[in-house]
Amino acid sequence: MYLMDDITRDGNPVLRKVAQKVTFPLSKENKQLADDMMEYLVNSQDPVLGQKYGLRAGVGLAAPQVGESVAMASVLVPNLEEPDQIDLKMTLINPVIVSQSVQVTALGEGEGCLSVDEDVAGYVPRANKITIKYDDFDGNSQTLKLKGYPAIVCQHEIDHLNGYLFYDKINKSQPMKIDDSAIIIE
Ligand code: N9Y
Ligand code: NI
């Protein structure tokens, strides 16, 4: 079971590497990694278990964040209006964004990251709609269309697999500057 001490922090070179593509059949190690990443997310969002183990609640976790440079990330995205409802629960293997909207969106509160201990203020511009190609556990290629918050979460995770952190995308001189037409999710 992963705890906060297992989460790699900014400065660890693994967070800046392009993750290795996953090959099939999925190895026992990679299957376990997927299970463990999802377990972290489930536990972290459970008030009792999250508290008990001192976990920072997360909606996504990418393998480099637990020290593994492999192209896998788990997401567990609650509905922002109905937090008891889950909008997206899955592990993305070898995910690639194959198309994205011109329409930009951003979280009104900015983003954070389990691998970044400091708060970094500023809008992180994301595509409002994306189409992702990824492999399922059997190695079959799948296509997924997302919009809004789940799309933001998946872009944050796919960035991890390519060595990017959220603050790389904040306007350095004017962090609160964003396209007038951007959809701000509060
Ligand atoms: C975990 C991040 C991923 C999200 C950040 C913005 C979009 C994806 C994460 C740090 C602290 C807060 C936490 C979070 C949350 C939100 C709603 C409901 C429950 C993956 N990460 N967070 N960032 N928690 N929990 O770094 O989840 O947003 O790469
Ligand atoms: Ni992150």
Side-chain angles (χ1 to χ4, degrees):
M1 193 180 101
Y2 290 126
L3 299 173
M4 287 317 289
D5 281 350
D6 300 309
I7 307 289
T8 56
R9 302 302 157 88
D10 196 5
N12 186 322
V14 73
L15 290 170
R16 293 306 191 173
K17 283 202 259 184
V18 176
Q20 286 280 331
K21 281 202 85 182
V22 173
T23 56
F24 293 91
L26 207 61
S27 67
K28 267 204 175 103
E29 288 77 13
N30 283 338
K31 178 79 186 71
Q32 188 66 49
L33 178 58
D35 285 350
D36 291 346
M37 289 195 298
M38 186 59 79
E39 181 191 41
Y40 175 91
L41 297 178
V42 171
N43 290 347
S44 78
Q45 289 183 34
D46 180 305
V48 174
L49 291 176
Q51 165 96 284
K52 177 173 170 189
Y53 296 116
L55 307 177
R56 201 174 171 200
V59 293
L61 189 65
Q65 294 185 277
V66 293
E68 304 290 343
S69 194
V70 296
M72 286 202 297
S74 296
V75 294
L76 178 59
V77 185
N79 184 286
L80 289 181
E81 272 95 56
E82 303 281 343
D84 289 344
Q85 224 170 277
I86 290 164
D87 277 352
L88 187 64
K89 178 179 185 176
M90 62 183 307
T91 296
L92 298 166
I93 303 177
N94 300 325
V96 179
I97 296 173
V98 293
S99 71
Q100 61 182 70
S101 64
V102 173
Q103 174 71 59
V104 167
T105 187
L107 296 178
E109 308 264 86
E111 293 188 15
C113 180
L114 297 176
S115 296
V116 179
D117 289 330
E118 309 76 31
D119 287 338
V120 184
Y123 289 124
V124 181
R126 303 287 191 187
N128 185 48
K129 292 185 181 176
I130 56 173
T131 303
I132 298 175
K133 266 202 167 163
Y134 68 97
D135 296 324
D136 65 19
F137 287 98
D138 299 318
N140 297 314
S141 183
Q142 306 288 346
T143 302
L144 180 67
K145 288 186 175 204
L146 297 170
K147 62 167 185 258
Y149 185 52
I152 291 175
V153 175
C154 288
Q155 288 171 80
H156 179 113
E157 300 317 320
I158 291 170
D159 275 352
H160 273 303
L161 303 180
N162 291 310
Y164 295 105
L165 294 169
F166 73 96
Y167 62 75
D168 300 340
K169 312 216 153 165
I170 298 175
N171 184 317
K172 288 277 126 51
S173 52
Q174 289 171 278
M176 302 313 278
K177 197 183 123 163
I178 192 162
D179 219 86
D180 280 334
S181 59
I183 297 169
I184 306 300
I185 300 179
E186 296 298 344

